[in-house]
Amino acid sequence: MSWSTAWRIARRDLSARFKGLRLLLVCLFLGAGALTAIGSLTAAIERELQDRGQELLGGDIQLSVWQRGLRAEERDALTSLGTVSEGVRLQAMAVAGQQTVPVELKAVDRVYPLYGALTLKDGRRVGPPPDGQAWLTQDAADRLALTPSMRFTIGTRTLTVGGIIAQEPDRLGEGFQFGPTVIVDGALAADAGLLAPGSMYRSKIRVKLPEGADATTAGEGFLDRFPTDGFDLRTRDQASPGADRFVSRMGDFLTLVGLAALVIAGIGIGGGVSSYLDARRPSIATLKVLGATSGGIARIYALEIGAAALIGSGAGMAAGVAVTPLLAGALDGLLPVAGGLVIAPGALALALGYSLLVALVFAAPPLLRARRFPAMALMRSRISPLGRDPAAIAVVIAGLAAIAALALLTAKDILLTGSFLAGAGAVFLLLAAAGGALRRVAARLPRPGNPIARAALANLHRPGSATGMLITALGFGLAAFVLLAAVQTAIDGTIARRVPAQAPDYFVRDIPKDRSAEFIRLADASAPGAKVELVPMLRGSVIAYGPPDAMTRVAEMEERPEGAWALSGERGLTYATTLPQGNTVTAGRWWSPDTTSREVSVDEEFADAVGLKVGDAITFGILGAEVTAEVTSLRRIDWQSMGFNFAFILSPPALENAPHNLAATIELAGNSPTAPLLQGMVRTFPSSSVIEVKGVMAQARTLLEQVGLATLAAAGVTVLAGIAVLLGAIAAARAQRSFDTVMLRVLGASRGQVLELLLFEYALLATVLAVVALVLGGAAAWLVIVQLFEFEWLPDWPTVLMTLGAGLAAVLIFAVLASLPLLREKPARALRAL
């Protein structure tokens, strides 16, 4: 039989409303729609990050350095590259009347912004504010209770609100901030006394290169010329590396969750195709009697199923494209996303590829089984079910391998993708084993005395029962619900319960080291009972490390080891006489209080990453000078202690003579008011800055909630796919269930009793699903929280159970609604059809 002849028969056989193949359409619609929406949104964000790189960064290249500005030779080198814009970023205290608010001060020069437009809410496109004025974000204005033309104070300067910022072009490129933004003229920070020697501020220098110039070449050339000066480099291609990395990993993760939903839907596809071919059994037998070959039969129904798969996938892809603008609107202000429809060919091709592969994997077994057997076997298959086709196993294995290969080839994080595929595969196997075990246990349990309970229990293990398939399909989605709810609430619980108990109320920076006693007296007077901890604070970069006679120069490294984060840019440094609380020496010894040597104690995890040992040396670049110290101990750090934690702690002789200030943590007693302390610090220490821990935690929790909502929505697709499988299983067993219902009605059962039987059966199934989802989802969440994040196991079980309950309620409602037509069966009409 030729393909054209097979298509002519298939077109005539295929219902215009796809009767019998609607489950396949629904499953592929859900999976392809989810994958398209996720892929299109990710592509749209990545495209915006790429296309608006200059605007988001504020230049073609950005160089940043701590605690100093540019030297003359550095400025000359950058000026030769293009237009240079210099600015300063630091924490400061803004005061308006009785309101005292920590803010992020952004001092910019006359050419800012090099790219994009700084727009105010009154419609003006502006540059830096005039002398004596400031541009405020809406958040800063609200917290200070200010409107345009009102006055406030920063440091020793009084400023006027010149306008409220509507759009800050380089906001995303600035990264995480510890307070609302206030933009001022470049000279104000120094004029207000905020840039004293040792102050913790960061100079950011942006360069606009000539058209066609290569940003990476220009930036790396500058670093090669000044390798030990502590500069961090970013280019327009990495305007916001944190956002780029977050989007890539979340895109990979959500794509994999969508793929899992599609695989779950594949179980429904297999059931739906089996049901469809079963209904076509007389037609297949007739074609074989008339001389059709097995290959011809396969062509006919492969074309029918393929056409349905293409239509279902296409409709899902169209829906995914249509919903992308809605998802983009939900992310407005968090990530850059262009409005309107987003057509991402790569995302569409990937969604189509996954959909067709899943359709092939799960439709192949029933199709091959139907074509392999002779006509008489097909005629009697209702009472003598067809056996399995060994060739189907090879097709399924090859298809699953192709799906895994496609996932790995298109992933940006292969380790994450491989781990997810392995974990999902293990979960599917466990769920399949649990489904098989449930059938065997149900068959061996004593028969209940109640006839309804007895019949419901029998339905779980009867021949043709879909129990195993439903446990696998629904269990994965519900376990994902438990996993995500437990992870989110455990992290939130750690923040809500542990952080307030351990974290200080404020971090204070830039306290003059010769006024530490005065600072403590101020804290005691303004907030009696407050606990204050003071530490020296400097910034420095690692220039070289290793054995003293063979040190590795960081600037000459082509690739940095995994986990060697402290080699990137400048890091916080301190010196101490005694071992800080929350630190434990794991190798070597802590120096004596009266040491005269330059020694350093290193975080053990960083030391393992770069191969540092006791006896090695590290050279730091600090304010243009090089300081070399011997590694005399390694430490284990409790990063959750929420106090001062440093990867590098040096002995006093190494740093105490360098220009620096102090930093402090303040932990208030009870419900002490904060206003007197903040106002006192502003009056007495105008150049110091304060970070409110509560505000930082609020930002972290908001971000966590947004990420949790996205992943929960993706997990919701897996539950919908599982429900589709459930509806397909009910539809596939419709004939057998109708017969059972008629027999029960003939034997005297009322409609209420039949409904009670259905409810009892689905309640048993839901109970098993709840246990399986709690065990698997809870175990996975524990591994993520305790083993991966190393947090305390503090999930909010009521929330977890409510989330699981909502999923189970949806399953039960759909199951009952799909089964209600069985109650309307007329016994006489059904018996005449036998």
Side-chain angles (χ1 to χ4, degrees):
M1 184 183 296
S2 66
W3 281 103
S4 59
T5 303
W7 172 243
R8 188 164 59 253
I9 297 173
R11 191 174 66 250
R12 291 173 180 173
D13 188 49
L14 198 60
S15 168
R17 293 180 296 172
F18 290 96
K19 185 177 181 180
L21 289 174
R22 292 171 189 166
L23 178 61
L24 181 145
L25 291 174
V26 170
C27 289
L28 290 178
F29 176 86
L30 286 172
L35 288 171
T36 300
I38 293 167
S40 298
L41 182 63
T42 302
I45 297 172
E46 290 177 339
R47 187 184 307 161
E48 283 292 291
L49 290 172
Q50 182 68 28
D51 294 346
R52 293 174 53 197
Q54 294 169 317
E55 178 182 333
L56 297 175
L57 182 65
D60 292 297
I61 63 173
Q62 174 184 281
L63 293 152
S64 56
V65 63
W66 284 89
Q67 294 183 283
R68 69 177 183 88
L70 287 176
R71 300 188 181 94
E73 62 273 19
E74 295 167 344
R75 185 175 289 107
D76 291 342
L78 290 175
T79 302
S80 68
L81 297 175
T83 305
V84 178
S85 174
E86 298 182 50
V88 169
R89 310 291 185 269
L90 71 157
Q91 297 296 123
M93 298 294 292
V95 181
Q98 299 299 311
Q99 303 296 324
T100 303
V101 176
V103 298
E104 186 85 11
L105 192 66
K106 181 175 179 177
V108 297
D109 65 4
R110 289 293 146 190
V111 296
Y112 173 86
L114 293 175
Y115 290 100
L118 177 62
T119 308
L120 303 182
K121 288 199 170 182
D122 58 13
R124 285 183 290 161
R125 292 169 60 126
V126 298
D131 185 34
Q133 293 188 25
W135 313 137
L136 276 67
T137 60
Q138 187 64 59
D139 186 23
D142 291 343
R143 295 181 65 182
L144 289 165
L146 293 174
T147 56
S149 300
M150 295 181 69
R151 298 168 71 82
F152 68 104
T153 301
I154 289 182
T156 60
R157 287 288 304 273
T158 299
L159 302 170
T160 301
V161 179
I164 306 300
I165 300 170
Q167 181 177 1
E168 184 183 356
D170 54 346
R171 169 76 281 277
L172 185 64
E174 294 286 0
F176 189 83
Q177 292 183 300
F178 294 109
T181 300
V182 174
I183 298 179
V184 297
D185 178 74
L188 182 129
D191 294 345
L194 303 177
L195 302 186
S199 297
M200 297 301 294
Y201 66 93
R202 193 175 196 182
S203 295
K204 287 191 176 182
I205 305 97
R206 278 86 177 262
V207 182
K208 182 178 182 179
L209 300 174
E211 188 72 25
D214 185 83
T216 302
T217 301
E220 291 181 351
F222 178 84
L223 292 185
D224 290 341
R225 186 172 172 183
F226 303 97
T228 63
D229 285 9
F231 285 102
D232 284 333
L233 170 68
R234 279 166 54 189
T235 67
R236 62 194 175 208
D237 299 325
Q238 295 179 320
S240 182
D244 201 6
R245 185 166 52 252
F246 170 78
V247 170
S248 296
R249 291 188 176 180
M250 280 301 297
D252 276 353
F253 176 73
L254 294 178
T255 297
L256 290 168
V257 174
L259 178 58
L262 189 56
V263 171
I264 291 171
I267 299 173
I269 291 171
V273 170
S274 292
S275 178
Y276 179 72
L277 293 176
D278 184 63
R280 294 291 188 275
R281 189 185 71 259
S283 300
I284 297 173
T286 301
L287 287 170
K288 285 204 168 188
V289 168
L290 294 174
T293 63
S294 295
I297 297 296
R299 289 185 180 187
I300 293 171
Y301 289 99
L303 287 171
E304 291 186 26
I305 294 165
L310 283 172
I311 291 173
S313 300
M317 290 159 62
V321 170
V323 81
T324 301
L326 301 178
L327 300 176
L331 293 175
D332 187 34
L334 178 64
L335 290 168
V337 191
L341 293 177
V342 177
I343 306 298
L348 294 174
L350 190 63
L352 181 61
Y354 278 137
S355 299
L356 295 182
L357 279 173
V358 168
L360 169 66
V361 167
F362 289 95
L367 186 59
L368 292 174
R369 186 168 61 246
R371 78 174 185 94
R372 181 174 181 267
F373 289 87
M376 291 307 297
L378 288 165
M379 291 292 190
R380 63 174 183 267
S381 63
R382 183 174 298 276
I383 58 174
S384 179
L386 301 178
R388 295 181 179 179
D389 187 349
I393 299 176
V395 173
V396 170
I397 293 174
L400 292 176
I403 291 172
L406 183 60
L408 291 170
L409 288 173
T410 57
K412 296 180 179 66
D413 189 331
I414 294 179
L415 180 61
L416 171 66
T417 302
S419 300
F420 184 94
L421 291 174
V427 169
F428 276 124
L429 290 175
L430 287 172
L431 288 169
L438 174 61
R439 294 188 61 177
R440 290 191 294 272
V441 170
R444 288 173 172 77
L445 285 175
R447 299 177 67 186
N450 185 304
I452 291 186
R454 184 166 62 249
L457 184 63
N459 282 342
L460 294 180
H461 63 84
R462 64 187 293 173
S465 168
T467 300
M469 179 175 68
L470 294 178
I471 290 293
T472 302
L474 291 168
F476 189 93
L478 294 172
F481 266 25
V482 172
L483 166 65
L484 295 172
V487 167
Q488 185 171 351
T489 58
I491 295 176
D492 194 60
T494 298
I495 295 174
R497 301 178 202 176
R498 181 168 180 175
V499 169
Q502 298 190 7
D505 294 281
Y506 296 100
F507 283 100
V508 186
R509 301 196 299 188
D510 293 333
I511 304 166
K513 62 179 180 180
D514 56 351
R515 299 178 63 188
S516 59
E518 183 181 357
F519 181 84
I520 293 174
R521 287 196 298 271
L522 171 66
D524 288 339
S526 304
K531 181 180 177 181
V532 179
E533 180 185 358
L534 288 162
V535 298
M537 176 75 78
L538 300 89
R539 301 289 298 190
S541 60
V542 178
I543 295 176
Y545 66 91
D549 57 347
M551 297 182 71
T552 301
R553 305 286 295 184
V554 174
E556 298 173 359
M557 297 175 65
E558 295 183 1
E559 185 176 351
R560 292 172 186 176
E562 184 73 24
W565 54 270
L567 296 182
S568 301
E570 293 188 331
R571 298 293 163 187
L573 303 176
T574 191
Y575 60 88
T577 302
T578 58
L579 182 67
Q581 186 177 359
N583 289 245
T584 304
V585 173
T586 58
R589 54 164 184 81
W590 189 261
W591 47 80
S592 62
D594 57 352
T595 184
T596 58
S597 303
R598 291 183 173 183
E599 305 177 47
V600 60
S601 181
V602 182
D603 169 33
E604 65 172 359
E605 293 183 358
F606 170 76
D608 288 341
V610 300
L612 267 176
K613 300 179 179 60
V614 173
D616 289 346
I618 303 179
T619 298
F620 298 94
I622 303 171
L623 298 175
E626 293 189 6
V627 176
T628 300
E630 180 188 356
V631 178
T632 55
S633 66
L634 305 180
R635 290 170 294 115
R636 181 182 299 114
I637 303 173
D638 180 9
W639 294 102
Q640 297 183 54
S641 63
M642 301 302 294
F644 286 114
N645 291 309
F646 296 88
F648 307 107
I649 300 178
L650 287 87
S651 61
L655 295 180
E656 60 187 355
N657 293 325
H660 67 277
N661 286 327
L662 304 179
T665 59
I666 301 177
E667 184 178 341
L668 301 178
N671 295 319
S672 300
T674 61
L677 176 62
L678 293 178
Q679 293 169 3
M681 282 194 292
V682 169
R683 288 193 305 269
T684 311
F685 297 91
S687 63
S688 299
S689 58
V690 177
I691 298 172
E692 290 182 295
V693 174
K694 185 184 297 185
V696 175
M697 292 298 105
Q699 290 185 61
R701 293 177 77 170
T702 299
L703 180 61
L704 176 66
E705 289 171 0
Q706 291 169 325
V707 172
L709 183 62
T711 51
L712 199 62
V717 177
T718 65
V719 174
L720 288 177
I723 290 174
V725 174
L726 172 66
L727 299 180
I730 293 173
R734 178 71 179 271
Q736 182 63 50
R737 288 299 182 108
S738 297
F739 180 80
D740 292 347
T741 301
V742 167
M743 290 297 100
L744 289 171
R745 295 291 304 280
V746 168
L747 294 173
S750 66
R751 289 185 177 180
Q753 288 175 314
V754 174
L755 179 60
E756 186 180 351
L757 168 62
L758 293 173
L759 290 174
F760 201 95
E761 178 185 348
Y762 294 137
L764 285 175
L765 184 63
T767 301
V768 174
L769 282 171
V771 174
V772 169
L774 275 176
V775 171
L776 289 179
W782 181 87
L783 287 172
V784 170
I785 292 297
V786 177
Q787 300 299 319
L788 182 61
F789 292 163
E790 297 183 355
F791 287 172
E792 288 188 35
W793 180 235
L794 297 172
D796 182 3
W797 287 113
T799 301
V800 174
L801 293 175
M802 285 177 59
T803 304
L804 176 60
L808 288 171
V811 170
L812 287 173
I813 290 171
F814 277 100
V816 172
L817 291 177
S819 301
L820 287 179
L822 295 175
L823 303 179
R824 295 193 292 269
E825 290 286 352
K826 303 294 184 182
R829 185 175 61 190
L831 291 172
R832 283 195 299 269
L834 290 177

